[in-house]
Amino acid sequence: QTNSDFDAKPMVMLLGQYSTGKTTFIKHLLKSNFPGAHIGPEPTTDRFVVVMSGSDERTVPGNTIAVQADMPFNGLTTFGGAFLSKFECSQMPHPLLDHITFVDTPGVLSGEKQRTQRSYDFTGVTSWFAAKCDVILLLFDPHKLDISDEFKRVISSLRGNEDKIRVVLNKADQVDTQQLMRVYGALMWSLGKVLNTPEVMRVYIGSFNDKPVNESAVGPIGKELFEKEQEDLLADLKDIPKKACDRRVNEFVKRARAAKIHAYIIGQLKKEMPAMMGKAKAQQRLIDNLQDEFAKVQREYHLPAGDFPDVEHFKQVLAGYSIDKFEKMKPKMVQAVDDMLAHDIPDLLKNFSNPYQ
């Protein structure tokens, strides 16, 4: 993590199928348009757009923003030019953007459109942003409740960041109260299957656009309900800067623990490799039985199972490397990480109060 990661403003990412109102939602919060915003019933946002504070209104291409040292987007260069051409930064002076940065995303594809392959690793990019973001808003509308294969992949790429997810049932004034009850039930059922968490997700119901609530469709209860829900969500978003400091430390600790476990796993795999002959066979055997190697590491060092990475993903990444070339385990370095987590971080937190309060 670089200084720019710590200095960056809290980020809110919006995810959802096309035309669920992601761009309109940002416009609704800003109460104005932003540079490069396109809105329409077809998939109009075809790129990742970071909406952030700036001295004047302008859009900056992805290649430029990714190499700026004072921006927290250097890591995106690993996704290559195909992605960076689909990434841009929209800057404008705005009081809300002085505290929060928004990430607008291309609509997740559904049905036949999923067959068209994207030119970059879409779920990899959403996963990268999810780690950096403070809140992830999943937007649905009553007419697009089906969770497509690509949307499933995107939601599973948010693994480890479930506490950041909020669900918004947008455009809810387009159906009457009875339909809304059915839609809400169907959405909760679909999410339960995909998210695999025992907790029930908080779903905000509303109509986040520039128009007043459509009272003819929702009836008198609906208008009051929508306004309360919208206030709740806005209050949730206003809390983000206050909690940003704690979340940064939390993310840093999470990364440090992940790095420590990674070092243990790599050390174990290196130890199992033969000194001379049969290295290729040994590597394949280790990859095939990776779950067992994880279990050995867990038992030997008394580590919690929940801290280990996803086995299948680790297998895929490992296949591209030669285990024989890995470094041996360095206990002193792991001890330094343990000391930092046990002493340095708590001492640091004692010295600083929350600057946003």
Side-chain angles (χ1 to χ4, degrees):
Q1 289 189 323
T2 61
N3 287 347
S4 57
D5 287 321
F6 288 100
D7 296 338
K9 293 181 178 71
M11 282 200 282
V12 175
M13 176 165 66
L14 290 93
L15 286 170
Q17 291 181 158
Y18 71 89
S19 194
T20 47
K22 296 184 293 295
T23 307
T24 309
F25 184 91
I26 296 173
K27 279 181 64 181
H28 168 81
L29 292 180
L30 298 177
K31 296 189 169 55
S32 72
N33 218 329
F34 59 88
H38 303 290
I39 289 168
E42 75 287 3
T44 43
T45 306
D46 68 335
R47 56 196 59 215
F48 282 79
V49 182
V50 172
V51 186
M52 65 193 305
S53 178
S55 52
D56 53 354
E57 291 201 11
R58 62 180 186 144
T59 59
V60 185
N63 280 292
T64 310
I65 208 83
V67 293
Q68 284 184 235
D70 60 339
M71 293 284 186
F73 305 116
N74 303 145
L76 289 169
T77 51
T78 56
F79 294 103
F83 164 70
L84 292 175
S85 65
K86 295 283 184 190
F87 174 52
E88 74 179 31
C89 176
S90 173
Q91 295 185 334
M92 65 186 283
H94 193 285
L96 181 61
L97 295 177
D98 290 340
H99 300 288
I100 293 177
T101 294
F102 291 97
V103 182
D104 195 6
T105 61
V108 177
L109 301 175
S110 60
E112 278 299 307
K113 296 185 198 70
Q114 293 179 91
R115 295 173 191 272
T116 337
Q117 285 293 304
R118 295 186 194 264
S119 57
Y120 58 91
D121 178 8
F122 182 72
T123 49
V125 174
T126 54
S127 179
W128 187 92
F129 272 111
K132 302 269 179 189
C133 280
D134 292 71
V135 166
I136 300 158
L137 293 179
L138 294 184
L139 269 79
F140 292 87
D141 88 18
H143 306 293
K144 288 200 183 75
L145 287 186
D146 60 314
I147 297 180
S148 63
D149 291 346
E150 185 174 64
F151 207 179
K152 274 188 189 137
R153 285 198 298 276
V154 167
I155 293 173
S156 64
S157 78
L158 307 177
R159 185 173 175 264
N161 297 293
E162 288 86 356
D163 58 319
K164 301 177 184 179
I165 298 174
R166 310 281 183 278
V167 181
V168 179
L169 179 54
N170 197 17
K171 303 186 181 183
D173 62 347
Q174 294 182 1
V175 292
D176 63 34
T177 313
Q178 187 183 11
Q179 286 171 317
L180 185 58
M181 282 166 61
R182 287 179 181 158
V183 163
Y184 183 82
L187 176 59
M188 294 301 273
W189 184 76
S190 305
L191 282 171
K193 282 172 68 182
V194 179
L195 282 164
N196 284 332
T197 54
E199 299 85 15
V200 175
M201 276 289 149
R202 170 69 162 102
V203 178
Y204 295 95
I205 302 167
S207 188
F208 297 90
N209 55 37
D210 308 333
K211 302 180 193 79
V213 173
N214 176 6
E215 290 190 56
S216 60
V218 298
I221 302 171
K223 184 173 188 295
E224 195 181 329
L225 171 74
F226 284 9
E227 283 167 357
K228 276 187 181 165
E229 288 280 291
Q230 281 162 218
E231 279 167 26
D232 280 1
L233 179 53
L234 291 175
D236 205 351
L237 293 178
K238 279 176 189 162
D239 266 354
I240 295 169
K242 283 186 197 166
K243 295 174 183 165
C245 208
D246 299 334
R247 194 178 286 284
R248 294 275 153 78
V249 175
N250 184 39
E251 283 299 323
F252 178 71
V253 169
K254 207 181 341 181
R255 291 277 292 275
R257 285 166 67 113
K260 186 177 99 169
I261 286 201
H262 184 78
Y264 280 136
I265 293 168
I266 297 301
Q268 169 69 17
L269 294 174
K270 170 76 176 175
K271 196 168 75 177
E272 296 279 334
M273 287 295 282
M276 301 287 285
M277 308 290 285
K279 288 178 180 178
K281 271 187 179 175
Q283 167 142 348
Q284 196 51 54
R285 179 180 53 77
L286 286 171
I287 291 175
D288 291 343
N289 301 313
L290 195 59
Q291 184 76 56
D292 298 340
E293 298 303 318
F294 277 18
K296 282 181 198 170
V297 173
Q298 193 193 334
R299 280 196 301 273
E300 188 175 343
Y301 299 103
H302 311 291
L303 299 165
D307 279 359
F308 279 74
D310 179 63
V311 177
E312 292 309 314
H313 179 62
F314 208 90
K315 277 183 185 178
Q316 287 167 16
V317 176
L318 209 51
Y321 291 89
S322 170
I323 295 177
D324 189 51
K325 301 273 193 303
F326 288 162
E327 294 280 328
K328 281 185 179 172
M329 174 76 176
K330 293 188 177 125
K332 270 188 182 175
M333 291 179 87
V334 175
Q335 188 57 50
V337 173
D338 280 339
D339 290 345
M340 178 197 69
L341 292 174
H343 307 295
D344 298 349
I345 296 285
D347 290 348
L348 183 73
L349 290 176
K350 277 180 205 162
N351 295 337
F352 293 103
S353 60
N354 191 331
Y356 291 100
Q357 282 176 346

